Amino acid sequence: MSEKTGNAFDFKLFKRLLAYTNSYRTVFYFVAFAAIVMSGLAVLRPYLLELAIDESIVPKDGEGFMKYIILMVIVLVLEVVFQFAFIFYTNWLGQSVIRDIRTKLFRLMMSFKMQYFDKSAVGRLTTRAVNDVETISSIFSEGLFMIISDLLKMLVIAGFMLTQSWRLSLIVFIVLPFILYATRVFQKAMKVAFEDVRNQVANLNTFVQERITGMKIVQIFTREETEYQRFKEINTDHRKAWIKTVWYNSIFFPIAEMTGAVATGLVVWYGGLNVLAGGAVTLGVITAFIQYAEMLFRPLRQIADKFNTLQMGMVAANRVFGILDTESHIADTGTVDYTNANGAIEFKKVHFGYNPEEEVIKGISFQVNPGETVAIVGATGAGKSTIINLLNRFYEINEGEILVDGISLKDYRLASLRSQIAVVLQDVFLFADSILNNITLNNPEISEEDVIAAAKEIGVHKFIKSLPDGYHYNVKERGSMLSSGQRQLISFLRAYVSKPSILILDEATSSVDTYSEEMIQKATDRITKNRTSIVIAHRLATIKKADKIIVMDAGKIVEEGTHKDLLKIEKGFYKNLYEVQFMAEEVAE
């Protein structure tokens, strides 16, 4: 979404944001009603004070004075009640709106292509989903309705002042253009300043999130001092951005205060001379006008302050809508549910590149029959893992076709397709949750008894039960409480209990110890039986047992066959890989 930073207020953006209040119309209208009532009540207090002075205090009418005191108390109580309701429901409305926006944003982010996340910093996305969305709530709780309420008060007060004394009103109004001009300049300057603040907050969040996540690398390579200096620079930029907003505030608010004081002084000066000369102005009118002037200028100062909040909320809304407007989805237009799956896979002249100008997969074609175990091998960067990404439709292919059970991937409902494909990655990701929830991913169809039974079959039940709280042991963020081998076992069990039609092992045993590998191999034998399996090969044992081995190099299939067949090819790619990568492992065994 484009943004014209110089504009003080984006009405198109505001209208779009206001649409989120449609579900809460009753509350919205009540808040508007409360703002109108408060405007009327605000005028009554000075007016009652004026009457009390002119009709009771000056003529020394004690009975009449008590009547005005009671009326002022009643007005004050009503003001308190309506202000309470106004503040509570504006905040309630704001929190309801951001709940809806945050829910929509998170759902949308979960549907993005992997390519979007490849190019987007995690810290920046976190800032959008958490900080920026929270800032939007202030548009309703502290910005929009407060400004409307203050503007209504100013209009009512200005109109009432004219009915009381047009001369005193003009004296007050003469000062208004100066503060209105200052407010306008202030608003424009703050729009630019707050945009800079949000950028610096996002930069700070991104830097801190990445360094904390990668703290092991920072310490291994003794980069603490370097990263500390970089953090100081980013933190300094963040401070400068905020200081700019402080500078504008420091200029504006003293000017606004001084302007209000000048208006009050002029009212006292002119009104006092009029009283002394026996004119139409009374002491009660002067007292009321002092309060009117204060009530007129105070909202202007507050509006400017609240406009800061509104501007920051609008900047945040612009950023959030920028993500909501992002077109980065896999088109889920399929109508076929992947049920009664056989697991037949076919790639037909598939071309793909993560970048349009650089192809990673260059017209490959192969078939995997139902129940077969196919290993894919090749040097780093050959395109092995990319095949897995394409089979799950994490990315859209450029040319060709991928079929599963004779039907194009695009014809399947995305959720239905992926529910039948289980993937075990080399880099295991575990959530900061219990082992049980990491295995089931909170799927109500997978019971704890199912998980325990599967764990016993694989042979990891004893290992899990040995942990504190067993299956309810919290592995903390990214599974930091477990070793890499243990995380791999949990990941394998997660795939196993989902009972997939197609199993994918992406170098799943490359980072585990021998004992863990034996357990995984045992599970592999069980889960791959009569089930289509694709193995991105690393360990020799897996390759030897495969029904077929596909050898890739630079995005192309260069050889295909069984382990024994491929070893017979003189100067073949597979034979070379076998001798270079696997012979040493075989000797070690």
Side-chain angles (χ1 to χ4, degrees):
M1 175 180 290
S2 63
E3 179 184 359
K4 296 179 181 178
T5 311
N7 290 344
F9 194 79
D10 189 335
F11 283 98
K12 185 177 179 181
L13 180 66
F14 176 69
K15 183 179 179 181
R16 183 177 177 185
L17 187 62
L18 206 60
Y20 282 89
T21 65
N22 289 339
S23 301
Y24 312 103
R25 279 298 177 193
T26 302
V27 174
F28 184 89
Y29 290 136
F30 173 78
V31 168
F33 172 72
I36 295 170
V37 172
M38 287 193 300
S39 302
L41 292 173
V43 173
L44 281 179
R45 281 191 294 112
Y47 180 62
L48 288 172
L49 181 60
E50 174 191 332
L51 294 178
I53 292 172
D54 289 341
E55 296 182 9
S56 298
I57 295 177
V58 172
K60 298 181 180 180
D61 179 8
E63 185 177 339
F65 180 69
M66 288 306 299
K67 178 184 70 175
Y68 287 118
I69 292 296
I70 292 170
L71 287 174
M72 281 190 280
V73 169
I74 292 172
V75 170
L76 184 61
V77 170
L78 287 173
E79 272 193 286
V80 169
V81 170
F82 275 95
Q83 190 151 11
F84 163 78
F86 179 79
I87 293 172
F88 176 82
Y89 282 108
T90 52
N91 281 274
W92 184 93
L93 186 63
Q95 289 301 317
S96 299
V97 166
I98 68 166
R99 177 196 61 190
D100 295 345
I101 293 176
R102 188 178 281 131
T103 300
K104 183 178 180 180
L105 180 65
F106 188 72
R107 176 177 287 278
L108 187 72
M109 288 170 65
M110 287 194 295
S111 69
F112 283 160
K113 298 177 183 177
M114 288 298 109
Q115 201 162 10
Y116 179 84
F117 298 103
D118 293 341
K119 298 178 180 179
S120 303
V122 175
R124 194 170 293 273
L125 290 177
T126 303
T127 300
R128 299 292 177 271
V130 181
N131 299 54
D132 285 340
V133 173
E134 191 64 40
T135 304
I136 291 174
S137 72
S138 62
I139 291 178
F140 299 94
S141 60
E142 301 172 38
L144 168 66
F145 289 112
M146 290 293 185
I147 289 174
I148 292 174
S149 176
D150 286 343
L151 286 174
L152 277 173
K153 284 181 182 178
M154 290 172 63
L155 288 173
V156 172
I157 288 168
F160 198 76
M161 286 169 66
L162 287 169
T163 65
Q164 295 295 292
S165 172
W166 66 268
R167 290 184 177 85
L168 285 179
S169 298
L170 287 179
I171 289 174
V172 175
F173 295 163
I174 286 172
V175 184
L176 274 178
F178 297 101
I179 193 168
L180 288 173
Y181 176 75
T183 301
R184 179 66 174 172
V185 172
F186 177 70
Q187 290 167 356
K188 286 187 175 182
M190 290 302 286
K191 178 75 179 293
V192 178
F194 278 136
E195 176 65 22
D196 191 23
V197 166
R198 298 313 301 168
N199 280 329
Q200 295 304 328
V201 168
N203 291 339
L204 195 62
N205 284 353
T206 299
F207 185 89
V208 172
Q209 188 272 336
E210 287 183 345
R211 269 55 187 185
I212 291 176
T213 303
M215 187 58 68
K216 185 179 289 186
I217 299 298
V218 172
Q219 294 184 359
I220 286 174
F221 290 95
T222 63
R223 306 301 294 169
E224 294 93 336
E225 185 59 31
T226 302
E227 298 301 330
Y228 172 68
Q229 293 301 327
R230 290 185 65 190
F231 176 78
K232 283 180 65 177
E233 292 173 8
I234 295 173
N235 202 25
T236 299
D237 290 340
H238 176 263
R239 174 182 175 274
K240 287 178 181 177
W242 271 110
I243 289 296
K244 190 180 291 184
T245 68
V246 173
W247 168 251
Y248 292 144
N249 279 303
S250 301
I251 294 174
F252 173 76
F253 286 106
I255 290 175
E257 193 69 33
M258 182 185 68
T259 307
V262 168
T264 301
L266 289 174
V267 167
V268 173
W269 169 74
Y270 178 81
L273 289 178
N274 192 276
V275 170
L276 293 174
V281 176
T282 65
L283 287 176
V285 170
I286 295 175
T287 304
F289 262 78
I290 291 173
Q291 288 198 348
Y292 288 142
E294 178 64 25
M295 292 169 68
L296 192 64
F297 284 98
R298 189 193 311 137
L300 274 177
R301 295 194 294 271
Q302 291 177 347
I303 284 174
D305 194 23
K306 287 160 188 170
F307 205 92
N308 294 349
T309 302
L310 184 61
Q311 292 283 50
M312 186 170 264
M314 293 298 287
V315 169
N318 186 71
R319 291 173 176 274
V320 171
F321 285 136
I323 297 180
L324 289 174
D325 291 338
T326 300
E327 295 294 335
S328 182
H329 311 280
I330 297 293
D332 190 9
T333 56
T335 57
V336 180
D337 283 316
Y338 192 24
T339 55
N340 301 318
N342 294 317
I345 301 169
E346 184 177 4
F347 276 57
K348 288 185 175 181
K349 297 180 181 179
V350 173
H351 291 261
F352 171 75
Y354 294 102
N355 299 313
E357 63 278 359
E358 186 179 349
E359 260 192 354
V360 177
I361 299 296
K362 303 172 183 178
I364 66 171
S365 299
F366 67 88
Q367 284 185 322
V368 182
N369 297 321
E372 275 190 339
T373 297
V374 174
I376 303 177
V377 300
T380 302
K384 305 184 299 295
S385 295
T386 301
I387 289 177
I388 309 310
N389 289 333
L390 297 181
L391 187 58
N392 278 280
R393 281 198 76 197
F394 291 141
Y395 301 88
E396 295 282 26
I397 60 176
N398 299 339
E399 292 180 41
E401 191 174 22
I402 302 175
L403 306 174
V404 174
D405 285 348
I407 300 173
S408 173
L409 289 188
K410 295 181 179 180
D411 293 333
Y412 285 112
R413 287 178 55 249
L414 203 55
S416 177
L417 172 70
R418 290 177 179 169
S419 68
Q420 292 294 328
I421 302 174
V423 183
V424 179
L425 299 171
Q426 177 183 357
D427 183 18
V428 178
F429 187 93
L430 297 181
F431 296 95
D433 205 336
S434 68
I435 287 178
L436 179 65
N437 288 340
N438 268 289
I439 293 169
T440 65
L441 296 177
N442 296 302
N443 185 345
E445 295 180 4
I446 304 174
S447 67
E448 184 171 352
E449 290 72 24
D450 294 333
V451 173
I452 293 172
K456 287 179 178 177
E457 289 181 35
I458 294 176
V460 299
H461 176 69
K462 289 183 180 179
F463 139 63
I464 296 176
K465 289 299 290 182
S466 68
L467 298 171
D469 299 324
Y471 287 87
H472 299 278
Y473 178 63
N474 193 310
V475 300
K476 304 303 180 182
E477 188 175 0
R478 299 184 68 87
S480 60
M481 301 303 291
L482 302 176
S483 69
S484 59
Q486 290 171 331
R487 289 197 296 271
Q488 196 69 65
L489 288 169
I490 298 302
S491 177
F492 201 93
L493 186 54
R494 177 163 61 193
Y496 185 43
V497 298
S498 67
K499 299 179 181 178
S501 299
I502 299 172
L503 174 67
I504 299 171
L505 303 180
D506 189 355
E507 302 205 31
T509 61
S510 63
S511 61
V512 301
D513 53 53
T514 304
Y515 176 70
S516 298
E517 184 186 357
E518 288 175 0
M519 286 192 287
I520 289 178
Q521 193 58 54
K522 177 183 176 182
T524 302
D525 294 339
R526 286 180 178 275
I527 197 172
T528 57
K529 188 176 181 180
N530 299 321
R531 179 179 281 113
T532 304
S533 304
I534 296 179
V535 181
I536 303 297
H538 184 81
R539 296 294 179 100
L540 180 60
T542 310
I543 298 171
K544 284 183 175 180
K545 291 183 179 181
D547 297 309
K548 181 167 58 179
I549 298 173
I550 295 173
V551 185
M552 294 190 67
D553 183 61
K556 296 180 179 179
I557 295 176
V558 291
E559 291 173 359
E560 193 172 341
T562 65
H563 173 71
K564 291 181 179 179
D565 292 338
L566 293 175
L567 284 180
K568 293 176 183 178
I569 302 174
E570 289 297 327
K571 297 182 180 180
F573 279 83
Y574 179 77
K575 187 174 182 179
N576 181 59
L577 285 172
Y578 176 80
E579 291 174 350
V580 173
Q581 298 180 25
F582 305 138
M583 194 66 76
E585 189 175 320
E586 197 170 57
V587 169
E589 292 175 354

